[in-house]
Amino acid sequence: MAAPLPPPRLLPSGDSAITVEFSRNIDDDANRRVLALDRTIAEEPIAGVIETVPTYRSLLVHYDPVQIDFATLGPKLIELAQRPVPALEKSRLWRMPVAYGGEYGIDLEDVAKTLNTTPDDIVARHIAGDYRVAMLGFTPGWSYLSGLQESLQMPRRQNPRLLTPAGTISVGGVQAGIQCLAGPSGWHLLGCTPVRTYQLHRDPTFLLEPGDRVKFFEVDHKTYAEQERAAEHGEIIAELMAA
Amino acid sequence: MSKLVISSIGPASSVQDGGRFGAQRYGLTPSGAMDRLGLAAANCLAGNAQMAPAIEIGPYGAGLTARDGAVRVGLSGSPRSADIGGRSVTWDTSVTIAEGETLKLGMARGGSFSYLAVEGGIMGEPMFGSLAVNARAGLGSPYPRPLQAGDELSVTAASAGTERRIDLPAAAAGPVRVVLGPQNDEFGEDAIGLFLDSEWKLSATSDRMGYRLEGPVIKHLHGHNIVSDGTVNGSIQVPGIGQPIVLMSDRGTSGGYPKIGTVITADFGRFAQIPAGTAFRFKAVSMEEAQTEARKFAELLRALPGRLASIDSFDLNVEALQDANVAGVAVSAMDARTWQVPAAQE
C-alpha cells in the first residue's frame, strides 16, 4: 500500500467556489493530481457542484451554496483528492503546424539574440518540446503548456503588447502557450499556428482538453496560408496521433 | 412579431441573461447580467423566466422605438427617468410602447445598470445556452457586441394583459461584504487591515471585466506574481501597483495576481451598481454568514413573482396621482391605470 497522498489546501473563493490547491508552483505532479480530481468529480458528480476549472496547480470547484455548503463539500474534496492518481498514458497527442519567425513570430530574432543563438536553433528547441496542456484560461482556447525546455525559459516582456495575433505560439517564463483569439500578451512571440483551439460552429468547439499532449512541427508560410483558409472553413488542421 | 429599434444608446449596453456556464475550463467566461436581481425583476415584470435575455443598459441614456406592433417591456435595476411621448413612466413597472412610439430613458440615478426585459423575450441564437454578449469571444446574439443606435431586436408583440409593478426590498446599505481568500496569506495583517478599514473609490476605467479601485496601496508579502489560478465573480485581485481590481461578469477565467478576498454572492449585484467615483468600504464576514446570505438572496429571487402587483389596484394609483400633482396636471384615477402620467414640464 502506498502512503496516502498529502491533502491539498482548501482555499475559499467566496461563498460559491473552493480552490483546491495542490502546490503554489508550476509542478507536473500537482497538475496530474488536479486533472485526476477533475476527472473523479466528472465521473462521480457531487450534487451542487456546477463546474470545475483545472489550472496548473489547483482545481477551482464552483458550487451552489443553496445545495451544499463549504463545511460539507470541503472534506469531501479532500477525501477525493487523496485517492491514488491514475497514469496519464491514455492522453491524446496532437501534432500542430507552426509558421515560425517573420511576421508570424516577430520576437524570434530577439529571443535568439537574448539567448545567444540562431533563430533556427530556437525553432529546433521549441519543436523538441514534449508539451502537455496544463490548463486553459484567460480567453477562450488560450492553452497553457508545461514541458518547455529550460533553454527556452526567459522572463516575460517588460511591456505587454495590447494586441497579438490569433494563433500565436509563444513562450513566457517556464510556460509555452497556444493563443486562439487575438488579444493582449506579455509573452515572446515565436510563430503562429493555423489551428484554432476554439471555433464557434465547429464540432468540437474546443479542440484541446487539459491533460492532452502537444508536439509542434514547422510549416512554410505558403502552407500556413492554405491551412489557415481551411481552418476558417472549420477544418481542425491539427493531427490527432494517439487517443 | 414586433421590433424594438434602438434609436440611441450609451456604451456598456448589451443583451445579457443568466450567463453561460460549463466552459470556464476552456477559458470561456460566463458573462451574464452584472446585477442578477435587476435582471430577474425586469423579467418578472415582463412575464418572462427570471434569467431570460434582456437589455442591460449602462450609465447613459437610451431610446427604444416599437415597430411593426406594440412592445411591452419591464424596467428594473438602477432607476432612471423614463417617458414615452412626454408621459413619464414609473420605475420598476412594465409599460407598453405602442407602434411607432419611443421609450426614452435618462441617465442611471444612484446605480450603473438598468434592465429592460421584453415580454416574450428577445429572439436570438443561443451559444452555449445563452444570448449574453461577450464581445472578446465573439459571442452574443442577435449582435455579438454591445448595442448601437440602429440595431433592431426581433421581439414578441405585446399581449393584452395589464401592466404590473414590482415592490423590491430597499437596497441593502452598508459596506460591501467579502470573504477573505483565496490568497489572503500573500498579505500581512497590516495590509489586510488597510484593505478592510479604508475608503475605496471606483475608478472611471472600470468595465464589465473588472472594477478598478482607488485608495491606499495594498502591499504584498512575496511580490505580486502567483501561478495563475481560477477566478470567480467578485475575486479581488491585487496587482503590482497595489490598487485592487474586482473581477466582474466578463472576467478572465484565470488570473496571476494574488486575490485578497471575494465579494459575497448576495452583494455582487449591489457592488456592480456602485457608480464610478463613489466611495464605499469593505467588511469581512465568515463563510457561514456569506453562505446564509447567499441562500437568502436565492430565496429573494425565487419569491420575486410574489412581489408583483397589477397597477390598476387603487392603492398603487396614489403614487401616480402624486406624480401627476407634482407635475401640476390633474389626472383621474382611471387614467392613472396605465401607470403613465404626464412628464413634468420645465
Side-chain angles (χ1 to χ4, degrees):
Chain A
M1 273 294 275
L5 292 163
R9 293 207 304 160
L10 288 185
L11 310 176
S13 281
D15 53 50
S16 305
I18 299 178
T19 301
V20 185
E21 185 189 75
F22 293 93
S23 167
R24 288 170 185 257
N25 306 310
I26 292 182
D27 173 333
D28 270 354
D29 287 341
N31 191 238
R32 263 192 278 276
R33 292 188 65 188
V34 168
L35 299 177
L37 178 60
D38 182 52
R39 190 172 307 176
T40 302
I41 295 173
E43 288 167 357
E44 302 170 36
I46 303 168
V49 168
I50 298 166
E51 67 178 305
T52 53
V53 185
T55 73
Y56 279 113
R57 62 198 182 89
S58 62
L59 186 72
L60 180 63
V61 179
H62 291 271
Y63 66 98
D64 176 4
V66 174
Q67 293 187 58
I68 191 167
D69 63 8
F70 184 87
T72 310
L73 181 56
K76 176 92 186 148
L77 293 172
I78 294 267
E79 179 209 319
L80 295 179
Q82 289 181 279
R83 288 194 188 167
V85 176
L88 279 173
E89 63 262 29
K90 280 191 211 151
S91 301
R92 301 185 299 179
L93 169 63
W94 298 92
R95 285 185 79 238
M96 292 205 187
V98 179
Y100 286 97
E103 62 182 295
Y104 298 100
I106 56 176
D107 293 329
L108 182 63
E109 302 258 345
D110 282 347
V111 168
K113 269 182 208 149
T114 305
L115 297 178
N116 287 316
T117 184
T118 61
D120 283 350
D121 185 44
I122 297 295
V123 171
R125 290 181 196 182
H126 188 255
I127 285 175
D130 187 0
Y131 301 97
R132 187 178 295 283
V133 178
M135 63 180 278
L136 293 99
F138 190 49
T139 56
W142 221 121
S143 308
Y144 294 81
L145 310 178
S146 61
L148 182 68
Q149 297 211 338
E150 259 181 56
S151 66
L152 265 181
Q153 296 177 3
M154 53 194 292
R156 296 177 197 180
R157 288 171 54 83
Q158 287 285 343
N159 295 314
R161 293 192 174 92
L162 290 176
L163 190 65
T164 56
T168 287
I169 297 294
S170 57
V171 296
V174 300
Q175 308 168 46
I178 307 168
Q179 175 184 335
C180 185
L181 303 176
S185 171
W187 294 21
H188 304 277
L189 317 186
L190 302 185
C192 275
T193 180
V195 176
R196 294 293 171 260
T197 51
Y198 158 68
Q199 193 165 23
L200 270 180
H201 310 302
R202 183 187 65 191
D203 185 22
T205 305
F206 293 98
L207 196 62
L208 302 181
E209 292 286 338
D212 283 359
R213 292 167 61 210
V214 175
K215 295 282 287 181
F216 296 111
F217 66 98
E218 185 169 16
V219 290
D220 59 34
H221 294 181
K222 181 169 167 286
T223 306
Y224 173 90
E226 289 164 9
Q227 290 181 332
E228 191 180 38
R229 271 194 299 279
E232 278 165 17
H233 289 97
E235 278 191 39
I236 285 170
I237 308 295
E239 301 164 27
L240 187 56
M241 305 306 290
Chain B
M1 284 290 273
S2 299
K3 272 186 204 149
L4 199 54
V5 180
I6 313 288
S7 51
S8 65
I9 201 155
S13 302
S14 58
V15 171
Q16 293 295 337
D17 55 21
R20 51 180 69 80
F21 293 87
Q24 294 188 72
R25 60 195 294 106
Y26 303 114
L28 181 61
T29 198
S31 299
M34 294 283 268
D35 174 6
R36 294 169 80 83
L37 177 60
L39 173 71
N43 272 317
C44 273
L45 287 163
N48 300 337
Q50 294 196 357
M51 292 294 134
I55 304 178
E56 179 178 272
I57 302 169
Y60 298 94
L64 303 104
T65 306
R67 295 274 181 227
D68 305 337
V71 177
R72 175 174 284 118
V73 301
L75 299 170
S76 196
S78 173
R80 51 182 86 209
S81 68
D83 80 79
I84 298 174
R87 289 166 291 133
S88 79
V89 178
T90 305
W91 202 250
D92 288 329
T93 69
S94 71
V95 65
T96 300
I97 313 170
E99 149 82 34
E101 284 189 327
T102 298
L103 170 67
K104 285 192 179 142
L105 300 174
M107 305 264 292
R109 290 193 309 240
S112 291
F113 294 101
S114 305
Y115 293 87
L116 183 151
V118 183
E119 184 186 38
I122 292 169
M123 312 292 156
E125 184 199 351
M127 296 163 186
F128 305 99
S130 167
L131 299 191
V133 169
N134 172 354
R136 188 178 287 258
L139 291 174
S141 181
Y143 300 96
R145 55 163 173 75
L147 289 166
Q148 305 170 353
D151 286 351
E152 296 184 359
L153 304 176
S154 294
V155 298
T156 308
S159 73
T162 54
E163 304 301 348
R164 304 196 273 190
R165 66 164 296 161
I166 193 163
D167 293 305
L168 296 174
V176 174
R177 292 167 292 179
V178 303
V179 173
L180 291 178
Q183 279 96 31
N184 49 320
D185 59 353
E186 293 282 333
F187 302 88
E189 287 292 320
D190 48 343
I192 291 175
L194 194 60
F195 169 73
L196 293 173
D197 295 338
S198 301
E199 190 170 87
W200 296 96
K201 254 186 199 160
L202 196 66
S203 156
T205 58
S206 298
D207 58 21
R208 280 183 45 92
M209 207 171 168
Y211 277 15
R212 292 167 182 273
L213 308 186
E214 293 167 354
V217 171
I218 305 297
K219 291 207 168 73
H220 309 78
L221 285 177
H222 319 287
H224 62 269
N225 276 304
I226 59 167
V227 177
S228 293
D229 73 347
T231 67
V232 301
N233 282 357
S235 291
I236 307 168
Q237 290 192 333
V238 183
I241 54 167
Q243 300 286 273
I245 301 171
V246 186
L247 301 184
M248 305 303 286
S249 301
D250 283 348
R251 66 190 152 81
T253 53
S254 58
Y257 297 121
K259 296 175 277 293
I260 194 169
T262 311
V263 176
I264 70 170
T265 301
D267 281 358
F268 182 76
R270 176 162 77 90
F271 175 72
Q273 289 286 13
I274 293 176
T278 303
F280 67 94
R281 290 171 183 275
F282 290 112
K283 176 191 174 193
V285 296
S286 68
M287 178 61 77
E288 292 71 26
E289 182 175 346
Q291 297 203 314
T292 300
E293 292 300 313
R295 286 188 280 271
K296 278 192 212 162
F297 184 71
E299 177 56 23
L300 169 67
L301 289 184
R302 197 197 60 75
L304 268 189
R307 293 173 171 274
L308 286 170
S310 168
I311 63 170
D312 46 16
S313 63
F314 177 75
D315 54 331
L316 293 170
N317 283 334
V318 173
E319 192 180 328
L321 289 166
Q322 281 170 345
D323 283 356
N325 290 339
V326 168
V329 178
V331 63
S332 77
M334 288 301 287
D335 289 343
R337 198 163 62 81
T338 57
W339 207 249
Q340 293 168 17
V341 295
Q345 300 293 309
E346 292 298 321

